[in-house]
Every structure is written in structure tokens, then in C-alpha cells.
Amino acid sequence: MSSIQQRAELQAQIWKIANDVRGSVDGWDFKQFVLGSLFYRFISENFSTYIEAGDDSVNYAALKDSVITPEIKDDAVKTKGYFIYPSQLFSNVAKNANDNKNLNTDLAAIFSAIESSANGYPSEHDIKGLFADFDTTSNRLGNSVKEKNSRLASVLKGVAGLNFGDFQDNQIDLFGDAYEFLISNYAANAGKSGGEFFTPQHVSKLVAQLAMHKQTSVNKIYDPATGSGSLLLQTKKHFDNHIIEDGFFGQEINHTTYNLARMNMFLHNINYDKFDIALGNTLLDPHFGDEKPFDAIVSNPPYSVNWIGSDDPTLINDERFAPAGVLAPKSKADFAFVLHALSYLSGKGRAAIVCFPGIFYRGGAEQKIRQYLIDNNFVETVISLAPNLFFGTSIAVNILVLSKHKTDNLTQFVDASGLFKKETNNNTLTDDHISRIMDVFDTKTDVDYFAKSIGSDAIAKNDYNLSVSSYVVAEDTREVINIAKLNTELKTTVAKIDKLRIEIDAIVAEIDGGA
């Protein structure tokens, strides 16, 4: 079976589990239990593989907890970041789930123990609260303990039946793909609230390639609005592991999504010492100031959200916003995220940011920020994408590429709005579409109706408008009509009509005369 067929089969099985077990529970809420079980299984298998170390004579799941010495536990936590006793492994819990009358409380105790195992170790921050949204005592599972246990057992059994292959056989990406598939489907069914934190893989792939373009290595990669971590993970999926030297950094304001992002790192086999995801408001309480600058920044920040802006007079002196001389509007924080990313960007790096199109042409403070970006030669490329590429919104978004190492004062505009493949619910970008965009991004060649580079003086004269449509002329696909030929045909037609009228009048006169 090919990897594509295997992935399709796996995704179909996971979606069936999600629908079979959720019952009357809202699907968007219930995803936490399905995703939590997937994560629980993954870290159990990952940990067992680590302990067994390729020795076929060792079966960690079959061992008694009592044989585990403090030295073994200490060494494991230092390496993996957490510890799971044999009795706590997913396989052992799932095996007896149907007969365990204390399943919900047993699971709660296991999750607490796994998180607590990291207390006092460097991994504590990365492990703490990972299972916070997997509330096994929640009434969303049912009103009685019996109902809760029945649903939990169904989820565990369903996840246990999935064929991921052996961890050491490099099937872990398939596990991660399945995880993202489940998130994306719930996002698609949840409207904007679901799509907010999930950037589809095809868009993530383009954003990652733009940020990483021609960088043989980057010190670290950063996303100031991490969401579920899909953008960060695309850089790992499409580039050699060694290219990102010091790991993955991100900040997320939503607690549930923050947990998903950390889970997602583990699911993609990124060890705790290679990522740091922080919880908090990036604009008002930014983390990682000591880690900057970053050689690559990727982000899909929320579109036109409110923020405190000018109501906090200290923000205009913030080193992120002060250079522009103006704050983003209180009702539209988009450029606050852009300026934050620019502040964290290194002199050799790039930031690729998905943006709401209105920020590129509106006046007021946003125009002044655009002026700052253009006058200081930070804007490398603006790309307009097709509509309906994201879950829960049909907006045709733009990608803004920032750079601090441009060798000219030209800004490239790319109209990729015609590049998409129509799917059932959403449009998608194919690999060919992405390659075409990346080719023109690389060469900076002007292509009729597709790409054009414009000098900063011309942009200034156009009130610093950065809308792609202002510089890339759309192809006129209307049929060209030859007016002279059309007039000749009309004259011929009119002559024929006049002749017919004369003939008809003659016939009518003859009939009237005969009467």
C-alpha cells in the first residue's frame, strides 16, 4: 500500500472514530478527547521505544512498575522530558478500558502523573498542562460515570485500533498528518472559531518556503501567533532537520490552542529541548526577547482584532512600534503583529506573514506604517492568494514577505489569485502552484499579469498603496471584438432585412388586391 493510500485509509478511520464516539457531544468540543487520546498513544509508544532501545528482548509494556528504579526514571526524564510507568502506557489502559469502572479517574491520575514527572526538570514548562483539555470527568462525556467511561473506552479502543506502524519504521509523520487532518476537519466544521488557529498545510508550505528561501541554515524559527503550530511544523517537514539549529519558538494567547501546539511538537518528534511555546498576549506581553533575532519568522495572526493600541500611551515607546512613529488602529491590530515580527527578525532572515488585504490600502495609521516599511526598504514581496483557501472564511488573503537584507529598493507584487484547485468545501494550492510562486519569488522576474517589481518612489507616489492589483494588471479574458467586421456584418444583415420587408410588403399588397 502506498503512503498516499495508507494516509487516506488512516484519515478515514480517524474521522469515523470521531463521529462514532461523540454522540450528542458537540464535535468541535469533543475533538479534545480524540486528539488527547492520539497524543496519549503517541507519547506512550515513543517512550516505550526509547526505553527498549531496539532490544527485542525488552517489552516495556509487560514490565512491572516496581522494577523501575529512581535512576532509570531520572535519566529518562532528563532525556525525554517526561516519564510513563508501564501500567500507565496507553496500550495497557486501552486493553482493559471496557472493564475498568474507574477509567475516568484512572486516566486523570495518569495524566497528572505524566505531567508531574517533569517537575523540577528543564522540561517542566513544556510538559505542564498538556492534558488540561482532556478532562475525563467533564459532563461533556456524559452525566453519569458509566456514560463517561463508556465514551472514553470507545475513544481509546478506536485509537488503539489505528495502524500507525512501528515507531522505528519512520511512520511517525503519518501519525502527525492524521492529527492535523482531524484538526483541519473539525476546523472546517466549526466555522471561523475553528479556522482561526489552523493554517491549511498547503498554505503553510508556501509560507514556510518563503521564509526559509535560500537559507542554508537558520538559528531558529518563530511564530508570534502560533495557533496549533502548523506553520512552524511545515519548516521541519519540508527542510532537513539540521537547517534549523536552535529549534522552534512560538507564542499563543488561547490556552487550548497553546496545548495543541505543544502536543503537535511532540507528535512530530520534536524533543522538549528543541521547542519553546509560550502562553500569553504577544502584543502586550511578548516572550523571547532574549532569544531574538530570528532568522525565519512565519505567522498567520488573527485578522483585524481589537487591541489596546493608543489607549496605552506607553506602547508608542515600545521598541517594536516606536520606529514607525504610530500604533496600529485599536480596531485593527494587524500591523502591530507585522511590526512585532519585524522587530524580532534578524538581518539575514525573512518573515512571511499571512495578512488581511485591507491593511495594504487603507489610510490613516496603517498608511503611515506602510510608509515606514517602504521608506526603510523592508518589504520584499506582497502576494495575493485565491479566495476560500482557509477554513471558515472566504477572504482572499495576502502574504507579506519582510526582509532586512534587500540589495535594491524594489518591492515585488505577485498576483497568485488565479492559482487554486477547486475542492468540495475549499480551494487548495497544489505543489505546482507553490512552485510557480516560488520561482517568480526567486528570480524577481516581471511576468505579464502575474508579477511585477516596483520602485519605492512609484509606491510613494501611489500613497504607499501595497495592493497587488494596483501594480499587476489583470489579464483581460474578454473576447476581442473586431468592430469594423461587426459593422460590415450589421450592414449586410440590415440590407437583407430591408429586402425581406419589401418582399413581404409586396406579398401582402398582392393578397389585399386579390381580396
Side-chain angles (χ1 to χ4, degrees):
M1 183 184 296
S2 69
S3 60
I4 294 176
Q5 291 173 320
Q6 188 178 11
R7 183 173 292 110
E9 180 178 319
L10 185 64
Q11 291 174 347
Q13 288 175 323
I14 288 180
W15 191 238
K16 183 177 184 300
I17 293 170
N19 283 296
D20 285 348
V21 301
R22 72 184 183 198
S24 61
V25 182
D26 180 73
W28 181 239
D29 290 331
F30 200 69
K31 79 182 187 307
Q32 301 299 343
F33 302 107
V34 180
L35 297 178
S37 296
L38 285 170
F39 177 66
Y40 176 32
R41 175 179 167 178
F42 169 77
I43 62 170
S44 294
E45 294 181 0
N46 191 335
F47 191 80
S48 294
T49 299
Y50 162 72
I51 293 291
E52 293 165 2
D55 187 345
D56 293 337
S57 67
V58 179
N59 180 2
Y60 185 64
L63 297 179
K64 293 185 178 299
D65 291 357
S66 58
V67 306
I68 305 300
T69 66
E71 291 76 18
I72 291 175
K73 182 177 179 181
D74 179 68
D75 184 68
V77 177
K78 287 178 179 176
T79 303
K80 297 300 296 179
Y82 59 92
F83 190 86
I84 306 177
Y85 281 98
S87 66
Q88 299 171 334
L89 292 172
F90 173 88
S91 58
N92 285 331
V93 175
K95 179 172 57 179
N96 303 312
N98 287 335
D99 301 319
N100 186 353
K101 295 181 179 180
N102 301 313
L103 180 62
N104 67 327
T105 53
D106 283 353
L107 281 173
I110 289 171
F111 296 157
S112 176
I114 294 173
E115 292 182 11
S116 298
S117 69
N119 289 350
Y121 290 86
S123 59
E124 181 177 355
H125 165 72
D126 300 302
I127 303 298
K128 186 177 182 179
L130 273 176
F131 290 98
D133 294 299
F134 196 158
D135 182 2
T136 61
T137 63
S138 170
N139 287 333
R140 290 181 295 172
L141 287 166
N143 293 321
S144 67
V145 172
K146 184 177 181 180
E147 287 179 328
K148 291 179 175 66
N149 287 341
S150 176
R151 279 215 171 91
L152 285 169
S154 295
V155 175
L156 294 177
K157 288 291 186 180
V159 171
L162 296 171
N163 181 21
F164 293 121
D166 294 330
F167 180 81
Q168 60 268 28
D169 290 338
N170 296 317
Q171 292 299 313
I172 192 61
D173 279 344
L174 192 60
F175 199 117
D177 288 342
Y179 173 87
E180 291 187 20
F181 166 80
L182 188 53
I183 292 179
S184 68
N185 273 275
Y186 274 127
N189 285 283
K192 184 179 178 182
S193 63
E196 277 179 350
F197 72 85
F198 186 80
T199 305
Q201 289 195 40
H202 51 94
V203 179
S204 298
K205 186 185 299 186
L206 172 60
V207 173
Q209 291 188 27
L210 289 166
M212 302 280 284
H213 184 61
K214 283 190 173 179
Q215 297 204 65
T216 55
S217 67
V218 299
N219 60 353
K220 45 203 154 188
I221 188 161
Y222 170 62
D223 185 345
T226 304
S228 63
S230 55
L231 272 168
L232 287 174
L233 290 166
Q234 282 297 331
T235 61
K236 178 182 186 295
K237 185 174 292 187
H238 296 285
F239 298 91
D240 294 334
N241 288 338
H242 69 270
I243 198 173
I244 302 172
E245 297 169 352
D246 298 323
F248 305 79
F249 296 77
Q251 185 165 347
E252 172 57 33
I253 193 171
N254 180 282
H255 194 278
T256 296
T257 315
Y258 158 71
N259 285 335
L260 286 174
R262 292 189 296 156
M263 285 184 181
N264 221 351
M265 295 294 136
F266 282 108
L267 282 170
H268 285 79
N269 205 27
I270 299 175
N271 211 41
Y272 77 91
D273 57 345
K274 285 297 183 181
F275 76 83
D276 193 346
I277 308 296
L279 176 66
N281 187 321
T282 296
L283 300 182
L284 303 182
D285 182 26
H287 289 240
F288 310 119
D290 294 337
E291 295 288 347
K292 66 179 185 179
F294 294 86
D295 289 342
I297 296 176
V298 293
S299 193
N300 178 18
Y303 309 144
S304 300
V305 295
N306 295 327
W307 76 306
I308 194 170
S310 58
D311 283 347
D312 181 352
T314 66
L315 284 175
I316 195 60
N317 298 316
D318 189 300
E319 63 179 358
R320 298 169 297 164
F321 312 127
V326 65
L327 295 172
K330 290 188 292 183
S331 61
K332 304 175 182 67
D334 308 72
F335 266 127
F337 283 101
V338 170
L339 292 174
H340 170 88
L342 181 67
S343 173
Y344 275 48
L345 184 64
S346 74
K348 59 164 279 193
R350 282 192 181 92
I353 307 168
V354 180
C355 297
F356 182 78
I359 70 171
F360 294 105
Y361 59 79
R362 292 189 295 235
E366 290 179 318
Q367 181 186 30
K368 293 179 181 177
I369 294 174
R370 293 196 303 271
Q371 179 176 351
Y372 162 72
L373 295 174
I374 291 298
D375 287 352
N376 287 276
N377 207 26
F378 291 137
V379 182
E380 180 173 2
T381 301
V382 182
I383 303 168
S384 63
L385 298 181
N388 206 32
L389 291 174
F390 288 77
F391 301 109
T393 179
S394 60
I395 296 172
V397 301
N398 288 188
I399 297 178
L400 173 65
V401 183
L402 301 175
S403 170
K404 294 182 178 179
H405 60 271
K406 290 171 61 181
T407 57
D408 56 40
N409 67 344
L410 298 175
T411 295
Q412 182 189 43
F413 296 88
V414 179
D415 182 0
S417 60
L419 300 183
F420 64 92
K421 178 183 179 183
K422 182 67 177 176
E423 299 286 0
T424 304
N425 295 319
N426 288 85
N427 295 327
T428 62
L429 293 172
T430 67
D431 287 344
D432 287 342
H433 295 150
I434 293 173
S435 293
R436 185 177 176 193
I437 294 171
M438 290 306 303
D439 284 345
V440 77
F441 176 75
D442 174 54
T443 62
K444 297 296 190 292
T445 304
D446 286 355
V447 179
D448 288 346
Y449 315 120
F450 187 63
K452 190 172 183 62
S453 293
I454 304 295
S456 57
D457 290 343
I459 295 174
K461 290 179 181 178
N462 194 23
D463 296 326
Y464 294 95
N465 187 323
L466 296 180
S467 294
V468 173
S469 60
S470 295
Y471 304 100
V472 180
V473 178
E475 184 175 7
D476 190 345
T477 58
R478 295 175 299 178
E479 181 183 358
V480 178
I481 298 174
N482 187 322
I483 300 299
K485 181 180 179 182
L486 180 61
N487 282 333
T488 301
E489 292 174 351
L490 284 173
K491 288 179 181 178
T492 302
T493 301
V494 170
K496 289 180 179 180
I497 292 173
D498 288 342
K499 181 180 178 183
L500 284 172
R501 282 176 176 167
I502 292 172
E503 292 174 352
I504 291 171
D505 289 344
I507 293 172
V508 171
E510 183 178 341
I511 293 173
D512 289 342

